[in-house]
Amino acid sequence: MTTTRWKVLPSGLVLPALLSVVVMVALIFAACGDDEEQPAAAAPAEQQQDEPQQAASDDEDVIWIDIGVVAPSSGSYEVFGHTYEASGKLIEHEINTGAQYCIDQGVCEEGGGFLIDGKLHKLRIHFRDDRSDINAHVALVQELVRDVGIVACMCGTPHDFAIASSKVTQPAKVLHFSGSSTLEEILTEEATAPGGENRYLFQTETREWQRSGSVMKGAVDLIDPDSEVSVILMLNDATGQFLGPYFKRALEANGQTVPDIIYWDPDTTDFSPLFSRAKAHDPDIVLFLYDPDRAIQAIPQALEIGAAKSGYFMFGIDPGEYKKRELQSDLPVGMACVPICWGATDREQAAEYWIRYEEFGNELRSFSSVSLLTYDDYYMLIKAYQAAGTFEDPDAVVDALLEVRHDGVIADGFFFDDRHIVAHGTEVCVSRQLEFECQFTPPPSEPPPGTPGF
């Protein structure tokens, strides 16, 4: 495994937004009832004002493909969900204007759009903010499926949201993509086979045992390969309860003893008692998972009491974001991106992506890397449309998508396997006095003992 020493890339200039919202139509109601009587999840206010450019196009022959994006752009999960909107708007721009990257991919035509069976098509993406509310999420997906008629959806973060909304998309034969690694539990061979109940569902992040395995190997390798004891602090929600055992098994597979997983509640602000509990185990490494914004607040409290002997680890913090915070630590502090960092990466395609991402007007921040759990998938989907010769036959599109091999941002030859799951590694970095060392760690070839299903 090669490692590379990095300095954080300088931030690019944010260019003016290249898109302008076309026509806003104001719906004025002379309401007799109380606004509070409107169902929260289905109220007209949920229909975002940033609806896709409706194509006041001079070309009346353009065929528009409706795709939904439902993710939290506000609320407690905004740190993950904002990336779905960011990548979706970038994709909509690249596809519909014929950006050079899209042309180089062999997808776009000069002037914008792409051909399916000789006819020009463009994307109309419908964005919805589920406000980090699972009930709102399901209602909004239902609205897009039933009333808008979307044929595909980038929907669901965090984990339980995607499973819930799949109950809407799958009976409707809407292709559903999500970076939720929990989906692997329902993406069985039977469920994804022709006629299966989850035939149209796709997991855009690698299997959890692969992701946690690559992250924890990178953490141990870079912080202290001779370490022996690690303690995990994990967010106490449905996702954290799912992830905790995976990280524990991954650490054990890398030679660690894990005496405790300490679950912290979302409203926690004083982490000192929890770090004191961790310190009682005399750990070499303390790992704070999985919310990066809370991690950046909590780690200074761990440093104050000296909770770890060898170093600390945070999940989701990018080296570029860590550099901005100017945290000082005598011990190394590790961090992982999902999957590739913007502050330091040795993959040329990723470095170029982050330039496009920021120049378009997207902010580089914690978990911006999650945008890569949808970006490549749009291009793979369009390639499947082109190969199938249609976007209206979901079974033909699924068959074609399973044959797509895509040289994208995350990897060359990127593909979905028979269970509709991708495989990729994770970039892990460590800061030593704000000097960064990073490595892209491939996923393990075998799951550790105790992994569900193995």
Side-chain angles (χ1 to χ4, degrees), residues 66-72 81 83-85 87 125-130 134 136-145 150-170 174-181 183 200-204 373-374 377-378:
D66 291 296
I67 293 177
V69 172
V70 183
T83 64
Y84 277 58
E85 182 175 349
S87 63
I125 302 183
H126 304 263
F127 299 92
R128 297 290 186 270
D129 175 14
D130 63 31
I134 192 169
H137 175 79
V138 173
L140 291 168
V141 172
Q142 185 172 32
E143 176 244 329
L144 290 175
V145 170
I150 60 171
V151 295
C153 194
M154 302 290 177
C155 297
T157 184
H159 297 249
D160 45 335
F161 285 46
I163 291 178
S165 58
S166 72
K167 307 306 179 184
V168 175
T169 57
Q170 296 311 284
V174 169
L175 272 71
H176 183 163
F177 300 84
S178 173
S180 167
S181 56
L183 292 179
Y200 314 100
L201 185 61
F202 291 83
Q203 180 173 308
T204 62
L373 299 186
T374 55
D377 306 283
Y378 283 103

Short mmCIF file of all heavy atoms in Angstrom, two decimals, residues 66-72 81 83-85 87 125-130 134 136-145 150-170 174-181 183 200-204 373-374 377-378:
data_model
loop_
_atom_site.label_atom_id
_atom_site.label_comp_id
_atom_site.label_asym_id
_atom_site.label_seq_id
_atom_site.Cartn_x
_atom_site.Cartn_y
_atom_site.Cartn_z
N ASP A 66 -37.89 12.82 -16.39
CA ASP A 66 -38.11 13.32 -15.03
C ASP A 66 -37.45 12.39 -14.00
O ASP A 66 -37.74 11.19 -13.95
CB ASP A 66 -39.61 13.41 -14.73
CG ASP A 66 -40.27 14.51 -15.55
OD1 ASP A 66 -39.91 15.69 -15.34
OD2 ASP A 66 -41.14 14.20 -16.39
N ILE A 67 -36.57 12.98 -13.20
CA ILE A 67 -35.86 12.25 -12.15
C ILE A 67 -36.06 13.00 -10.83
O ILE A 67 -36.05 14.23 -10.81
CB ILE A 67 -34.36 12.13 -12.48
CG1 ILE A 67 -34.18 11.22 -13.71
CG2 ILE A 67 -33.57 11.58 -11.30
CD1 ILE A 67 -32.74 11.08 -14.17
N GLY A 68 -36.25 12.28 -9.75
CA GLY A 68 -36.44 12.89 -8.44
C GLY A 68 -35.19 12.84 -7.58
O GLY A 68 -34.38 11.91 -7.71
N VAL A 69 -35.04 13.83 -6.72
CA VAL A 69 -34.00 13.83 -5.68
C VAL A 69 -34.69 14.20 -4.38
O VAL A 69 -35.21 15.31 -4.24
CB VAL A 69 -32.88 14.83 -5.98
CG1 VAL A 69 -31.93 14.94 -4.79
CG2 VAL A 69 -32.10 14.43 -7.23
N VAL A 70 -34.74 13.27 -3.44
CA VAL A 70 -35.35 13.53 -2.14
C VAL A 70 -34.32 13.21 -1.06
O VAL A 70 -33.92 12.06 -0.89
CB VAL A 70 -36.62 12.69 -1.92
CG1 VAL A 70 -37.27 13.06 -0.58
CG2 VAL A 70 -37.61 12.90 -3.06
N ALA A 71 -33.89 14.24 -0.37
CA ALA A 71 -32.86 14.10 0.66
C ALA A 71 -32.93 15.32 1.58
O ALA A 71 -33.52 16.33 1.21
CB ALA A 71 -31.48 13.99 0.03
N PRO A 72 -32.36 15.23 2.77
CA PRO A 72 -32.45 16.36 3.71
C PRO A 72 -31.50 17.50 3.35
O PRO A 72 -30.28 17.36 3.42
CB PRO A 72 -32.06 15.73 5.05
CG PRO A 72 -31.23 14.54 4.69
CD PRO A 72 -31.75 14.04 3.39
N GLY A 81 -27.31 15.11 3.40
CA GLY A 81 -28.32 15.25 2.35
C GLY A 81 -28.09 16.38 1.38
O GLY A 81 -28.52 16.30 0.22
N THR A 83 -25.64 17.09 -0.21
CA THR A 83 -24.81 16.65 -1.33
C THR A 83 -25.64 16.06 -2.46
O THR A 83 -25.22 16.09 -3.62
CB THR A 83 -23.78 15.62 -0.85
OG1 THR A 83 -24.46 14.45 -0.40
CG2 THR A 83 -22.93 16.18 0.27
N TYR A 84 -26.79 15.48 -2.16
CA TYR A 84 -27.66 14.94 -3.20
C TYR A 84 -28.15 16.06 -4.11
O TYR A 84 -28.20 15.92 -5.33
CB TYR A 84 -28.85 14.22 -2.57
CG TYR A 84 -28.58 12.80 -2.14
CD1 TYR A 84 -27.58 12.49 -1.23
CD2 TYR A 84 -29.33 11.74 -2.64
CE1 TYR A 84 -27.33 11.20 -0.81
CE2 TYR A 84 -29.10 10.43 -2.24
CZ TYR A 84 -28.09 10.16 -1.32
OH TYR A 84 -27.83 8.88 -0.93
N GLU A 85 -28.52 17.19 -3.50
CA GLU A 85 -28.94 18.34 -4.29
C GLU A 85 -27.77 18.93 -5.06
O GLU A 85 -27.89 19.30 -6.23
CB GLU A 85 -29.57 19.40 -3.39
CG GLU A 85 -30.09 20.61 -4.14
CD GLU A 85 -30.82 21.59 -3.24
OE1 GLU A 85 -31.11 21.25 -2.09
OE2 GLU A 85 -31.08 22.72 -3.72
N SER A 87 -24.93 17.53 -6.17
CA SER A 87 -24.52 16.73 -7.33
C SER A 87 -25.60 16.70 -8.39
O SER A 87 -25.31 16.72 -9.59
CB SER A 87 -24.15 15.31 -6.91
OG SER A 87 -25.27 14.63 -6.37
N ILE A 125 -34.81 17.48 -13.32
CA ILE A 125 -34.64 16.91 -11.98
C ILE A 125 -35.48 17.69 -10.98
O ILE A 125 -35.42 18.92 -10.91
CB ILE A 125 -33.16 16.91 -11.56
CG1 ILE A 125 -32.33 16.11 -12.59
CG2 ILE A 125 -33.00 16.29 -10.18
CD1 ILE A 125 -30.86 15.96 -12.24
N HIS A 126 -36.26 16.97 -10.20
CA HIS A 126 -37.18 17.55 -9.22
C HIS A 126 -36.59 17.35 -7.82
O HIS A 126 -36.44 16.22 -7.36
CB HIS A 126 -38.55 16.87 -9.31
CG HIS A 126 -39.16 16.94 -10.68
ND1 HIS A 126 -40.09 17.88 -11.05
CD2 HIS A 126 -38.93 16.17 -11.78
CE1 HIS A 126 -40.43 17.70 -12.31
NE2 HIS A 126 -39.75 16.66 -12.79
N PHE A 127 -36.24 18.45 -7.17
CA PHE A 127 -35.59 18.40 -5.86
C PHE A 127 -36.61 18.60 -4.74
O PHE A 127 -37.46 19.49 -4.81
CB PHE A 127 -34.50 19.48 -5.76
CG PHE A 127 -33.42 19.33 -6.78
CD1 PHE A 127 -33.49 19.99 -8.00
CD2 PHE A 127 -32.32 18.52 -6.53
CE1 PHE A 127 -32.50 19.84 -8.95
CE2 PHE A 127 -31.31 18.38 -7.47
CZ PHE A 127 -31.40 19.04 -8.69
N ARG A 128 -36.49 17.78 -3.71
CA ARG A 128 -37.36 17.89 -2.54
C ARG A 128 -36.51 17.76 -1.27
O ARG A 128 -35.64 16.89 -1.17
CB ARG A 128 -38.42 16.79 -2.53
CG ARG A 128 -39.39 16.83 -3.72
CD ARG A 128 -40.33 18.01 -3.64
NE ARG A 128 -41.34 17.96 -4.67
CZ ARG A 128 -41.22 18.51 -5.89
NH1 ARG A 128 -40.10 19.14 -6.21
NH2 ARG A 128 -42.20 18.42 -6.77
N ASP A 129 -36.79 18.63 -0.30
CA ASP A 129 -36.13 18.61 1.00
C ASP A 129 -37.03 17.88 1.99
O ASP A 129 -38.12 18.36 2.32
CB ASP A 129 -35.87 20.05 1.46
CG ASP A 129 -35.30 20.12 2.88
OD1 ASP A 129 -34.85 19.08 3.40
OD2 ASP A 129 -35.30 21.24 3.45
N ASP A 130 -36.60 16.72 2.47
CA ASP A 130 -37.44 15.97 3.42
C ASP A 130 -37.24 16.43 4.87
O ASP A 130 -37.84 15.87 5.79
CB ASP A 130 -37.20 14.46 3.30
CG ASP A 130 -35.78 14.03 3.64
OD1 ASP A 130 -35.13 14.69 4.48
OD2 ASP A 130 -35.30 13.03 3.07
N ILE A 134 -38.41 11.25 8.32
CA ILE A 134 -38.64 10.05 7.51
C ILE A 134 -40.06 10.01 6.95
O ILE A 134 -40.28 9.54 5.83
CB ILE A 134 -38.32 8.77 8.33
CG1 ILE A 134 -38.27 7.56 7.40
CG2 ILE A 134 -39.31 8.57 9.47
CD1 ILE A 134 -37.71 6.32 8.06
N ALA A 136 -41.91 12.66 6.13
CA ALA A 136 -41.90 13.61 5.02
C ALA A 136 -41.19 13.00 3.81
O ALA A 136 -41.63 13.18 2.67
CB ALA A 136 -41.22 14.91 5.45
N HIS A 137 -40.11 12.29 4.08
CA HIS A 137 -39.35 11.66 2.99
C HIS A 137 -40.24 10.72 2.18
O HIS A 137 -40.29 10.82 0.94
CB HIS A 137 -38.16 10.90 3.57
CG HIS A 137 -37.39 10.14 2.54
ND1 HIS A 137 -36.48 10.74 1.71
CD2 HIS A 137 -37.41 8.82 2.19
CE1 HIS A 137 -35.96 9.84 0.89
NE2 HIS A 137 -36.51 8.67 1.17
N VAL A 138 -40.94 9.84 2.85
CA VAL A 138 -41.78 8.88 2.15
C VAL A 138 -42.89 9.59 1.39
O VAL A 138 -43.20 9.25 0.23
CB VAL A 138 -42.36 7.85 3.13
CG1 VAL A 138 -43.37 6.94 2.44
CG2 VAL A 138 -41.23 7.01 3.74
N ALA A 139 -43.51 10.59 2.01
CA ALA A 139 -44.59 11.33 1.35
C ALA A 139 -44.11 12.05 0.11
O ALA A 139 -44.80 12.10 -0.91
CB ALA A 139 -45.21 12.31 2.34
N LEU A 140 -42.91 12.61 0.16
CA LEU A 140 -42.38 13.35 -0.99
C LEU A 140 -42.00 12.41 -2.12
O LEU A 140 -42.21 12.73 -3.30
CB LEU A 140 -41.18 14.19 -0.55
CG LEU A 140 -41.52 15.37 0.36
CD1 LEU A 140 -40.27 15.97 0.97
CD2 LEU A 140 -42.30 16.44 -0.41
N VAL A 141 -41.44 11.26 -1.79
CA VAL A 141 -41.15 10.27 -2.83
C VAL A 141 -42.46 9.82 -3.48
O VAL A 141 -42.55 9.70 -4.71
CB VAL A 141 -40.38 9.07 -2.25
CG1 VAL A 141 -40.25 7.96 -3.30
CG2 VAL A 141 -39.00 9.50 -1.77
N GLN A 142 -43.47 9.61 -2.67
CA GLN A 142 -44.77 9.20 -3.20
C GLN A 142 -45.34 10.27 -4.13
O GLN A 142 -45.89 9.95 -5.20
CB GLN A 142 -45.75 8.92 -2.07
CG GLN A 142 -47.09 8.36 -2.53
CD GLN A 142 -47.96 7.93 -1.36
OE1 GLN A 142 -47.88 8.52 -0.30
NE2 GLN A 142 -48.77 6.92 -1.57
N GLU A 143 -45.20 11.53 -3.76
CA GLU A 143 -45.69 12.62 -4.61
C GLU A 143 -44.98 12.63 -5.96
O GLU A 143 -45.61 12.78 -7.02
CB GLU A 143 -45.48 13.96 -3.90
CG GLU A 143 -45.87 15.18 -4.74
CD GLU A 143 -44.68 16.07 -5.04
OE1 GLU A 143 -43.75 16.14 -4.22
OE2 GLU A 143 -44.70 16.70 -6.11
N LEU A 144 -43.67 12.45 -5.95
CA LEU A 144 -42.91 12.45 -7.20
C LEU A 144 -43.26 11.25 -8.08
O LEU A 144 -43.35 11.37 -9.30
CB LEU A 144 -41.42 12.48 -6.91
CG LEU A 144 -40.85 13.78 -6.33
CD1 LEU A 144 -39.38 13.60 -5.97
CD2 LEU A 144 -41.02 14.93 -7.31
N VAL A 145 -43.45 10.11 -7.46
CA VAL A 145 -43.80 8.91 -8.22
C VAL A 145 -45.21 9.01 -8.78
O VAL A 145 -45.44 8.76 -9.97
CB VAL A 145 -43.65 7.66 -7.33
CG1 VAL A 145 -44.24 6.43 -8.02
CG2 VAL A 145 -42.19 7.42 -6.98
N ILE A 150 -41.90 10.47 -12.07
CA ILE A 150 -40.47 10.25 -12.24
C ILE A 150 -40.20 8.79 -12.62
O ILE A 150 -40.94 7.89 -12.27
CB ILE A 150 -39.69 10.61 -10.95
CG1 ILE A 150 -40.15 9.74 -9.77
CG2 ILE A 150 -39.80 12.09 -10.64
CD1 ILE A 150 -39.28 9.88 -8.52
N VAL A 151 -39.09 8.59 -13.36
CA VAL A 151 -38.70 7.24 -13.74
C VAL A 151 -37.50 6.76 -12.94
O VAL A 151 -37.14 5.58 -13.00
CB VAL A 151 -38.39 7.15 -15.25
CG1 VAL A 151 -39.65 7.41 -16.06
CG2 VAL A 151 -37.28 8.12 -15.63
N ALA A 152 -36.86 7.68 -12.21
CA ALA A 152 -35.73 7.31 -11.36
C ALA A 152 -35.67 8.29 -10.20
O ALA A 152 -36.19 9.40 -10.28
CB ALA A 152 -34.42 7.35 -12.15
N CYS A 153 -35.04 7.84 -9.10
CA CYS A 153 -34.99 8.67 -7.89
C CYS A 153 -33.65 8.46 -7.19
O CYS A 153 -33.25 7.33 -6.94
CB CYS A 153 -36.13 8.30 -6.94
SG CYS A 153 -36.42 9.49 -5.62
N MET A 154 -32.97 9.56 -6.89
CA MET A 154 -31.81 9.52 -6.01
C MET A 154 -32.36 9.88 -4.63
O MET A 154 -32.49 11.05 -4.28
CB MET A 154 -30.75 10.53 -6.45
CG MET A 154 -30.26 10.32 -7.86
SD MET A 154 -29.24 8.82 -8.02
CE MET A 154 -28.92 8.81 -9.79
N CYS A 155 -32.72 8.88 -3.86
CA CYS A 155 -33.56 9.11 -2.69
C CYS A 155 -33.08 8.29 -1.49
O CYS A 155 -32.90 7.08 -1.59
CB CYS A 155 -35.01 8.73 -2.99
SG CYS A 155 -35.79 9.71 -4.27
N GLY A 156 -32.89 8.98 -0.36
CA GLY A 156 -32.71 8.28 0.88
C GLY A 156 -31.36 8.38 1.52
O GLY A 156 -30.42 7.71 1.13
N THR A 157 -31.25 9.25 2.50
CA THR A 157 -30.12 9.30 3.41
C THR A 157 -30.67 9.94 4.68
O THR A 157 -31.38 10.93 4.60
CB THR A 157 -28.93 10.09 2.84
OG1 THR A 157 -27.84 10.03 3.75
CG2 THR A 157 -29.25 11.54 2.58
N PRO A 158 -30.47 9.39 5.85
CA PRO A 158 -29.61 8.24 6.14
C PRO A 158 -30.27 6.91 5.81
O PRO A 158 -31.25 6.87 5.04
CB PRO A 158 -29.38 8.39 7.64
CG PRO A 158 -30.62 9.03 8.14
CD PRO A 158 -31.05 9.98 7.06
N HIS A 159 -29.78 5.85 6.45
CA HIS A 159 -30.05 4.49 6.01
C HIS A 159 -31.52 4.11 6.01
O HIS A 159 -32.03 3.59 5.03
CB HIS A 159 -29.25 3.51 6.87
CG HIS A 159 -27.77 3.68 6.73
ND1 HIS A 159 -26.97 2.75 6.12
CD2 HIS A 159 -26.94 4.68 7.12
CE1 HIS A 159 -25.70 3.16 6.13
NE2 HIS A 159 -25.67 4.33 6.73
N ASP A 160 -32.22 4.34 7.12
CA ASP A 160 -33.59 3.85 7.21
C ASP A 160 -34.53 4.59 6.27
O ASP A 160 -35.58 4.06 5.89
CB ASP A 160 -34.11 3.93 8.65
CG ASP A 160 -33.78 5.25 9.33
OD1 ASP A 160 -32.81 5.90 8.93
OD2 ASP A 160 -34.50 5.62 10.28
N PHE A 161 -34.17 5.81 5.83
CA PHE A 161 -35.00 6.56 4.91
C PHE A 161 -35.10 5.83 3.57
O PHE A 161 -36.17 5.74 2.96
CB PHE A 161 -34.42 7.96 4.69
CG PHE A 161 -34.63 8.93 5.82
CD1 PHE A 161 -34.38 8.56 7.14
CD2 PHE A 161 -35.06 10.22 5.58
CE1 PHE A 161 -34.56 9.44 8.18
CE2 PHE A 161 -35.24 11.12 6.62
CZ PHE A 161 -34.99 10.73 7.92
N ALA A 162 -33.96 5.33 3.08
CA ALA A 162 -33.95 4.66 1.78
C ALA A 162 -34.79 3.40 1.79
O ALA A 162 -35.51 3.11 0.83
CB ALA A 162 -32.51 4.35 1.38
N ILE A 163 -34.70 2.64 2.86
CA ILE A 163 -35.50 1.42 2.95
C ILE A 163 -36.98 1.76 2.96
O ILE A 163 -37.80 1.12 2.28
CB ILE A 163 -35.11 0.60 4.19
CG1 ILE A 163 -33.71 0.01 4.01
CG2 ILE A 163 -36.12 -0.51 4.46
CD1 ILE A 163 -33.20 -0.78 5.20
N ALA A 164 -37.35 2.80 3.72
CA ALA A 164 -38.76 3.19 3.81
C ALA A 164 -39.31 3.62 2.45
O ALA A 164 -40.39 3.19 2.04
CB ALA A 164 -38.92 4.31 4.83
N SER A 165 -38.56 4.46 1.72
CA SER A 165 -39.09 4.95 0.45
C SER A 165 -39.02 3.91 -0.66
O SER A 165 -39.73 4.02 -1.66
CB SER A 165 -38.36 6.22 0.01
OG SER A 165 -36.97 6.02 -0.11
N SER A 166 -38.21 2.86 -0.47
CA SER A 166 -38.18 1.80 -1.46
C SER A 166 -39.53 1.08 -1.54
O SER A 166 -39.86 0.48 -2.57
CB SER A 166 -37.07 0.79 -1.16
OG SER A 166 -37.37 -0.01 -0.02
N LYS A 167 -40.30 1.15 -0.46
CA LYS A 167 -41.63 0.54 -0.47
C LYS A 167 -42.58 1.28 -1.40
O LYS A 167 -43.63 0.76 -1.79
CB LYS A 167 -42.21 0.51 0.95
CG LYS A 167 -41.31 -0.14 1.99
CD LYS A 167 -40.85 -1.53 1.61
CE LYS A 167 -39.94 -2.14 2.67
NZ LYS A 167 -39.41 -3.46 2.25
N VAL A 168 -42.20 2.51 -1.77
CA VAL A 168 -42.98 3.29 -2.74
C VAL A 168 -42.43 3.08 -4.15
O VAL A 168 -43.19 2.85 -5.10
CB VAL A 168 -42.95 4.79 -2.39
CG1 VAL A 168 -43.65 5.62 -3.46
CG2 VAL A 168 -43.56 5.04 -1.03
N THR A 169 -41.11 3.15 -4.31
CA THR A 169 -40.53 3.12 -5.65
C THR A 169 -40.59 1.74 -6.30
O THR A 169 -40.78 1.64 -7.52
CB THR A 169 -39.05 3.57 -5.60
OG1 THR A 169 -38.32 2.72 -4.69
CG2 THR A 169 -38.95 5.02 -5.13
N GLN A 170 -40.42 0.69 -5.53
CA GLN A 170 -40.29 -0.63 -6.15
C GLN A 170 -41.59 -1.14 -6.76
O GLN A 170 -41.58 -1.65 -7.90
CB GLN A 170 -39.70 -1.62 -5.15
CG GLN A 170 -38.27 -1.25 -4.73
CD GLN A 170 -37.38 -0.95 -5.92
OE1 GLN A 170 -36.93 -1.85 -6.61
NE2 GLN A 170 -37.12 0.33 -6.17
N VAL A 174 -39.88 2.22 -10.34
CA VAL A 174 -39.03 3.40 -10.45
C VAL A 174 -37.63 3.02 -10.00
O VAL A 174 -37.47 2.50 -8.89
CB VAL A 174 -39.59 4.56 -9.60
CG1 VAL A 174 -38.60 5.70 -9.51
CG2 VAL A 174 -40.92 5.05 -10.19
N LEU A 175 -36.64 3.27 -10.83
CA LEU A 175 -35.27 2.96 -10.43
C LEU A 175 -34.86 3.86 -9.28
O LEU A 175 -35.02 5.08 -9.35
CB LEU A 175 -34.30 3.14 -11.60
CG LEU A 175 -34.13 1.89 -12.49
CD1 LEU A 175 -35.36 1.62 -13.31
CD2 LEU A 175 -32.90 2.02 -13.39
N HIS A 176 -34.37 3.26 -8.21
CA HIS A 176 -34.12 3.96 -6.94
C HIS A 176 -32.65 3.76 -6.58
O HIS A 176 -32.19 2.63 -6.42
CB HIS A 176 -35.04 3.38 -5.87
CG HIS A 176 -34.95 4.04 -4.53
ND1 HIS A 176 -35.93 3.88 -3.57
CD2 HIS A 176 -34.02 4.85 -3.97
CE1 HIS A 176 -35.59 4.55 -2.49
NE2 HIS A 176 -34.42 5.15 -2.72
N PHE A 177 -31.91 4.88 -6.44
CA PHE A 177 -30.50 4.84 -6.10
C PHE A 177 -30.29 5.52 -4.75
O PHE A 177 -30.82 6.60 -4.50
CB PHE A 177 -29.66 5.57 -7.15
CG PHE A 177 -29.79 4.99 -8.54
CD1 PHE A 177 -30.84 5.36 -9.36
CD2 PHE A 177 -28.86 4.08 -9.01
CE1 PHE A 177 -30.96 4.84 -10.64
CE2 PHE A 177 -28.98 3.55 -10.29
CZ PHE A 177 -30.03 3.93 -11.11
N SER A 178 -29.48 4.90 -3.89
CA SER A 178 -29.18 5.50 -2.60
C SER A 178 -27.81 5.06 -2.13
O SER A 178 -27.39 3.91 -2.37
CB SER A 178 -30.23 5.09 -1.55
OG SER A 178 -29.85 5.55 -0.26
N GLY A 179 -27.12 5.98 -1.43
CA GLY A 179 -25.84 5.65 -0.83
C GLY A 179 -25.95 4.99 0.52
O GLY A 179 -24.98 4.95 1.27
N SER A 180 -27.11 4.45 0.84
CA SER A 180 -27.32 3.76 2.12
C SER A 180 -26.80 2.33 2.05
O SER A 180 -27.32 1.51 1.30
CB SER A 180 -28.81 3.75 2.46
OG SER A 180 -29.06 2.85 3.52
N SER A 181 -25.78 2.05 2.85
CA SER A 181 -25.23 0.69 2.84
C SER A 181 -26.13 -0.31 3.55
O SER A 181 -25.90 -1.52 3.48
CB SER A 181 -23.83 0.67 3.47
OG SER A 181 -23.85 1.20 4.78
N LEU A 183 -29.02 -0.99 2.57
CA LEU A 183 -29.82 -1.63 1.54
C LEU A 183 -29.35 -3.05 1.24
O LEU A 183 -30.13 -3.88 0.77
CB LEU A 183 -29.80 -0.80 0.26
CG LEU A 183 -30.51 0.55 0.30
CD1 LEU A 183 -30.38 1.27 -1.03
CD2 LEU A 183 -31.97 0.40 0.67
N TYR A 200 -35.56 -2.91 -8.89
CA TYR A 200 -35.23 -1.57 -9.38
C TYR A 200 -34.50 -0.73 -8.34
O TYR A 200 -34.41 0.48 -8.46
CB TYR A 200 -36.52 -0.86 -9.83
CG TYR A 200 -37.39 -1.76 -10.67
CD1 TYR A 200 -38.48 -2.43 -10.12
CD2 TYR A 200 -37.07 -2.00 -12.01
CE1 TYR A 200 -39.25 -3.29 -10.87
CE2 TYR A 200 -37.84 -2.87 -12.78
CZ TYR A 200 -38.93 -3.51 -12.21
OH TYR A 200 -39.67 -4.38 -12.97
N LEU A 201 -33.94 -1.39 -7.32
CA LEU A 201 -33.26 -0.70 -6.22
C LEU A 201 -31.75 -0.91 -6.32
O LEU A 201 -31.29 -2.04 -6.52
CB LEU A 201 -33.78 -1.26 -4.89
CG LEU A 201 -33.29 -0.60 -3.60
CD1 LEU A 201 -33.68 0.87 -3.53
CD2 LEU A 201 -33.85 -1.36 -2.38
N PHE A 202 -30.97 0.17 -6.14
CA PHE A 202 -29.52 0.11 -6.31
C PHE A 202 -28.81 0.81 -5.16
O PHE A 202 -29.20 1.91 -4.76
CB PHE A 202 -29.11 0.76 -7.64
CG PHE A 202 -29.53 -0.02 -8.84
CD1 PHE A 202 -30.82 0.10 -9.35
CD2 PHE A 202 -28.65 -0.90 -9.45
CE1 PHE A 202 -31.23 -0.63 -10.45
CE2 PHE A 202 -29.05 -1.64 -10.56
CZ PHE A 202 -30.34 -1.51 -11.07
N GLN A 203 -27.78 0.16 -4.65
CA GLN A 203 -26.95 0.72 -3.56
C GLN A 203 -25.69 1.31 -4.17
O GLN A 203 -24.86 0.60 -4.73
CB GLN A 203 -26.60 -0.37 -2.56
CG GLN A 203 -25.74 0.11 -1.40
CD GLN A 203 -25.55 -0.96 -0.34
OE1 GLN A 203 -26.53 -1.54 0.15
NE2 GLN A 203 -24.31 -1.25 0.02
N THR A 204 -25.53 2.63 -4.02
CA THR A 204 -24.43 3.34 -4.67
C THR A 204 -23.19 3.45 -3.79
O THR A 204 -22.22 4.11 -4.17
CB THR A 204 -24.88 4.74 -5.11
OG1 THR A 204 -25.25 5.51 -3.95
CG2 THR A 204 -26.08 4.66 -6.05
N LEU A 373 -21.59 9.64 -4.16
CA LEU A 373 -22.45 8.46 -4.07
C LEU A 373 -23.67 8.58 -4.97
O LEU A 373 -24.54 7.70 -4.98
CB LEU A 373 -22.89 8.22 -2.62
CG LEU A 373 -21.75 7.97 -1.62
CD1 LEU A 373 -22.32 7.61 -0.25
CD2 LEU A 373 -20.80 6.88 -2.11
N THR A 374 -23.75 9.68 -5.73
CA THR A 374 -24.80 9.80 -6.76
C THR A 374 -24.24 10.24 -8.10
O THR A 374 -24.80 9.90 -9.13
CB THR A 374 -25.90 10.78 -6.32
OG1 THR A 374 -25.32 12.05 -5.99
CG2 THR A 374 -26.65 10.26 -5.11
N ASP A 377 -23.41 7.75 -10.80
CA ASP A 377 -24.58 6.91 -11.08
C ASP A 377 -25.51 7.54 -12.11
O ASP A 377 -26.18 6.82 -12.86
CB ASP A 377 -25.32 6.63 -9.78
CG ASP A 377 -24.39 6.05 -8.73
OD1 ASP A 377 -24.08 4.86 -8.83
OD2 ASP A 377 -23.93 6.80 -7.86
N TYR A 378 -25.56 8.87 -12.16
CA TYR A 378 -26.34 9.53 -13.22
C TYR A 378 -25.78 9.15 -14.59
O TYR A 378 -26.54 8.83 -15.52
CB TYR A 378 -26.29 11.04 -13.06
CG TYR A 378 -27.16 11.63 -11.97
CD1 TYR A 378 -26.60 12.04 -10.76
CD2 TYR A 378 -28.52 11.82 -12.16
CE1 TYR A 378 -27.39 12.62 -9.77
CE2 TYR A 378 -29.32 12.40 -11.18
CZ TYR A 378 -28.74 12.80 -9.98
OH TYR A 378 -29.52 13.37 -9.01
#
